[in-house]
């Protein structure tokens, strides 16, 4: 919940560059902003989702263990794909090498390498992460609807967020709209789930 508005503010205040050279320049001027523009905070979100998925599995496995195992596995695979897709530190390194390059040939090679990193950054692995986590959320929400552990409101919010996330943020302008739209139900879902998990932990 804390990270979502921070990352949104960063994207609005410092929009990600559209070219490799733009990223190299950003990294040289504001290296930390460059890392944030390449989803550094979302890597933290993915790491934090690991215990959340485990907690939801333990909470709901008695309702439908088969579905929850599938959801947990898909969620973990999706998170692993996200880590493999992010090339923020590779771009930082290439930016430093570009700044130190002394010939046009060296700079051209580094620009080509940077283009490869950007393509990987929002390529297949990222889309796999996005879709698998959407499916994970849909399955978890479906199991929630069959239980009395979480409220129906929580389940429907999760289901809505998951359905909106089936359109990856890489799918052009419509993908960006769906990504931002999914943040609203996802944020409320996160708060409700966190509150319930704390209640379950105390009991």
């Amino acid at each position: 919940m804390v990270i979502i508005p921070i990352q949104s503010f960063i994207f609005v205040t410092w929009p990600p560059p559209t070219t490799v050279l733009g990223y190299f320049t950003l990294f040289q001027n504001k290296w930390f902003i460059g890392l944030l523009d390449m989803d550094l905070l979302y890597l933290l979100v993915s790491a934090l989702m690991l215990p959340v998925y485990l907690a939801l599995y333990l909470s709901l496995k008695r309702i439908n263990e088969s579905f929850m195992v599938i959801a947990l596995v898909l969620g973990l695979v999706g998170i692993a794909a996200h880590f493999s897709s992010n090339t923020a530190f590779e771009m930082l390194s290439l930016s430093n090498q570009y700044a130190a390059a002394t010939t046009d040939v060296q700079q051209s090679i580094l620009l080509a390498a940077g283009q490869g990193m950007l393509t990987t950054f929002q390529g297949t692995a990222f889309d796999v992460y996005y879709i698998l986590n959407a499916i994970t959320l849909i399955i978890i929400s479906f199991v929630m609807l069959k239980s009395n552990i979480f409220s129906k409101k929580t389940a429907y919010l999760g289901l809505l967020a998951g359905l909106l996330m089936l359109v990856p943020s890489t799918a052009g302008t419509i993908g960006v709209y769906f990504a931002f739209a999914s943040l609203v139900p996802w944020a409320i879902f996160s708060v409700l789930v966190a509150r319930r998990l704390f209640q379950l932990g105390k009991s």
Side-chain angles (χ1 to χ4, degrees), residues 48-65 67-69 71-72 136-137 139-141 143-144 147 149-150 154 158 186 189-190 192-194 196-197 200:
L48 292 174
M49 284 307 299
L50 292 171
V52 174
Y53 281 158
L54 289 171
L56 288 171
Y57 167 76
L58 292 172
S59 301
L60 294 166
K61 68 176 183 177
R62 282 172 288 186
I63 307 302
N64 193 319
E65 187 166 9
F67 275 11
M68 289 308 300
V69 167
L72 180 61
T136 297
L137 190 54
I139 294 174
I140 290 173
S141 300
V143 177
M144 281 183 177
S147 77
I149 300 172
F150 294 89
T154 303
W186 166 251
F189 173 84
S190 298
L192 295 177
V193 165
R196 184 59 181 144
L197 288 176
L200 292 172

Side-chain angles (χ1 to χ4, degrees), residues 49-50 53 57 66-82 125 127-140 166:
M49 284 307 299
L50 292 171
Y53 281 158
Y57 167 76
S66 297
F67 275 11
M68 289 308 300
V69 167
I70 293 171
L72 180 61
V73 171
L74 291 179
L76 296 181
V77 171
I79 290 172
H82 189 207
D127 288 339
V128 167
Y129 144 74
Y130 213 93
I131 297 299
L132 287 186
N133 275 272
I135 296 172
T136 297
L137 190 54
I138 291 171
I139 294 174
I140 290 173
L166 287 174

Side-chain angles (χ1 to χ4, degrees), residues 85-96:
S85 74
N86 191 281
T87 57
F89 288 98
E90 288 87 344
M91 285 293 288
L92 175 59
S93 176
L94 289 172
S95 172
N96 292 333

